[in-house]
Amino acid sequence: MEEHVTNKSFYVSIRPMLIFCKMFGAYPLKNTLSSKVITLQYNLFSIHTLWNPFLQTICGLLYFKFITFPWWKISKIFVLVRMVMVILSSIYSDQHLPTLLKLIDNIDRRLSKLEHQPKSSNGLLWMFACISVLLISTTSSTFMLRPEEGTKKAIIQTALIIIPWYQFQICVALYLLFCINISYRFRCIKELWEDTLSNLMHTNYVSSVDGKSIAKRSDIQLEEIRMLHSDLLTAIDELNRCYGTRMAIFLASIFQELLTIFYECLLGGLPVEYGIIFAMYHIECLFILGKITENLSTSVSK
């Protein structure tokens, strides 16, 4: 099924998703509500930036106090290490977000002048999809813990487990969102390049004066297309600075979580059916991440 897209500017289109991410500290920029991407700012010592480490730290400390059921004790050290790595990677990587967003916005404005307005993902649909994942994960975890811990304690424990995990997962969703939209722009540039070459080839069938005029405009447009392609490659470099380290941590944490699930089933008493569900979720995340990254790589090569 093809994703729903919109012809609004990239930032305006995905802003609902960014506002939702801000609640979990995954988007720490100021002036998010503004419709102008030029107003976005990153400040290391602002509440926007410190919200993510605060949530991670509070949930991590309370995790060690309230998580008492046997089959989660094995994962406590892993949770602590991941928490520290997520905080450090976020502080380093988030400073590049304004540059990435402004770069894509500038590319869109230049493409619009060439009468090729690129499509953008619908941020509302992405936001609702992320909310659905959060609700399903929270509900399933609460029902899983309630028989052993009681409803009240199960809700507290679920929140301490889900919030840090979801903060990390939503960064992956943002990475996928950027990958898909950069791929859209590569395809848009390819179509524009093909149309320009087609117009250039047809100059042989018109008068010499008109042909020279068309050829001159086509040459100027081809040069602009080349510069746009170069800027998109720069956007990929910025994407790597924003999410490269976090994706490396994500991949390492998935491997670690699969091992943790195995030992929780083997030694900690985690029901096997829950272990299979957790493992299948992580494998599916790897497949989606690999597929969308492959599509971006294919768009670049074409």
Side-chain angles (χ1 to χ4, degrees), residues 163-214:
I163 291 176
W165 170 83
Y166 196 71
Q167 281 184 282
F168 197 34
Q169 296 289 322
I170 207 168
C171 286
V172 179
L174 275 179
Y175 166 76
L176 298 177
L177 180 63
F178 280 114
C179 283
I180 289 172
N181 282 275
I182 291 176
S183 297
Y184 285 154
R185 280 139 187 84
F186 272 111
R187 288 198 287 269
C188 182
I189 287 179
K190 180 185 176 183
E191 293 173 1
L192 181 59
W193 176 73
E194 291 174 347
D195 291 344
T196 305
L197 285 182
S198 178
N199 292 334
L200 189 59
M201 292 175 63
H202 281 81
T203 57
N204 296 327
Y205 301 98
V206 298
S207 64
S208 59
V209 176
D210 292 339
K212 289 180 180 179
S213 177
I214 295 174

Side-chain angles (χ1 to χ4, degrees), residues 1 39 78 85 108 110 119 133 167 178 208-209 211 217 220 258 261 265 275:
M1 182 178 296
T39 61
F78 163 66
M85 294 179 71
D108 284 2
R110 289 159 60 191
K119 296 178 180 180
V133 172
Q167 281 184 282
F178 280 114
S208 59
V209 176
R217 290 198 304 269
I220 294 173
L258 290 174
I261 290 170
C265 291

Side-chain angles (χ1 to χ4, degrees), residues 142-157:
T142 303
F143 276 101
M144 182 179 67
L145 299 175
R146 191 176 63 176
E148 299 178 15
E149 308 295 331
T151 302
K152 183 177 180 180
K153 193 172 182 180
I155 293 174
I156 295 174
Q157 291 175 341

Side-chain angles (χ1 to χ4, degrees), residues 225-290:
I225 293 170
R226 185 193 67 80
M227 295 177 65
L228 284 168
H229 189 273
S230 176
D231 287 346
L232 273 177
L233 293 177
T234 303
I236 290 180
D237 289 338
E238 289 299 324
L239 180 67
N240 183 52
R241 293 187 183 97
C242 288
Y243 293 101
T245 303
R246 280 186 278 209
M247 290 306 102
I249 295 173
F250 176 72
L251 294 175
S253 70
I254 283 185
F255 175 73
Q256 181 64 49
E257 284 196 29
L258 290 174
L259 285 178
T260 302
I261 290 170
F262 173 75
Y263 284 112
E264 284 173 348
C265 291
L266 186 66
L267 303 174
L270 173 69
V272 176
E273 57 271 23
Y274 292 140
I276 293 175
I277 293 173
F278 294 151
M280 290 300 295
Y281 172 81
H282 292 309
I283 292 172
E284 184 179 0
C285 285
L286 282 176
F287 174 78
I288 295 173
L289 182 63

